[in-house]
Amino acid sequence: MIKLVAFLGNYGSEYDKTRHNVAWYYADSLPFAEKLIFQSKFKGEFASASPTEISQWACEYKICSKKDGSPVLVSEEAPSHIYFLKPFTYMNLSGESIIEISNFYKIKPEEILVIHDE
């Protein structure tokens, strides 16, 4: 199961509105993006939410998969939290940020989804 979603980009105004930051724009366009409270840590910004919260937010934005609009049931095997990370290292150094949060929360490589510009 995915425990960490890392949105890669390049920090700094010279990279604003370039393809290198498409993952950050994608993160900001998620229907529930404004519900995530990002804070500075792990050489970037990170937020977390429980799978139950994400399921409820999906229903609020009418992207539920259940016909009656009720939240999708969350598996008992789901992680307690899903972490969202925007590293403030450059693209080629984003592993530094990802390693910090992965070590802190004991997240395995196979539990990481990386969103990038290619």
Side-chain angles (χ1 to χ4, degrees):
M1 285 210 177
I2 300 300
K3 292 183 180 177
L4 170 62
V5 182
F7 301 93
L8 305 191
N10 277 332
Y11 186 71
S13 59
E14 66 268 28
Y15 296 102
D16 222 12
K17 298 185 176 143
T18 68
R19 71 176 180 90
H20 295 292
N21 289 340
V22 72
W24 287 357
Y25 298 132
Y26 178 72
D28 294 342
S29 75
L30 292 171
F32 55 84
E34 78 273 356
K35 302 236 185 214
L36 295 172
I37 300 168
F38 280 89
Q39 52 190 303
S40 294
K41 197 171 180 179
F42 307 115
K43 295 183 181 178
E45 287 186 341
F46 91 106
S48 69
S50 73
T52 302
E53 288 174 312
I54 295 169
S55 175
Q56 290 169 344
W57 297 339
C59 287
E60 286 177 30
Y61 292 98
K62 309 285 189 252
I63 53 175
C64 282
S65 62
K66 291 180 88 175
K67 289 181 181 180
D68 66 0
S70 63
V72 176
L73 296 177
V74 176
S75 168
E76 290 180 16
E77 295 152 11
S80 62
H81 285 85
I82 297 172
Y83 300 95
F84 300 88
L85 176 69
K86 295 178 188 176
F88 282 173
T89 55
Y90 291 100
M91 293 277 276
N92 295 342
L93 301 173
S94 56
E96 294 174 5
S97 179
I98 294 169
I99 285 171
E100 279 193 27
I101 192 170
S102 297
N103 288 342
F104 189 82
Y105 290 112
K106 298 180 180 21
I107 299 170
K108 299 174 192 165
E110 60 269 19
E111 298 171 327
I112 301 170
L113 175 64
V114 178
I115 311 294
H116 57 89
D117 64 349
E118 292 185 26

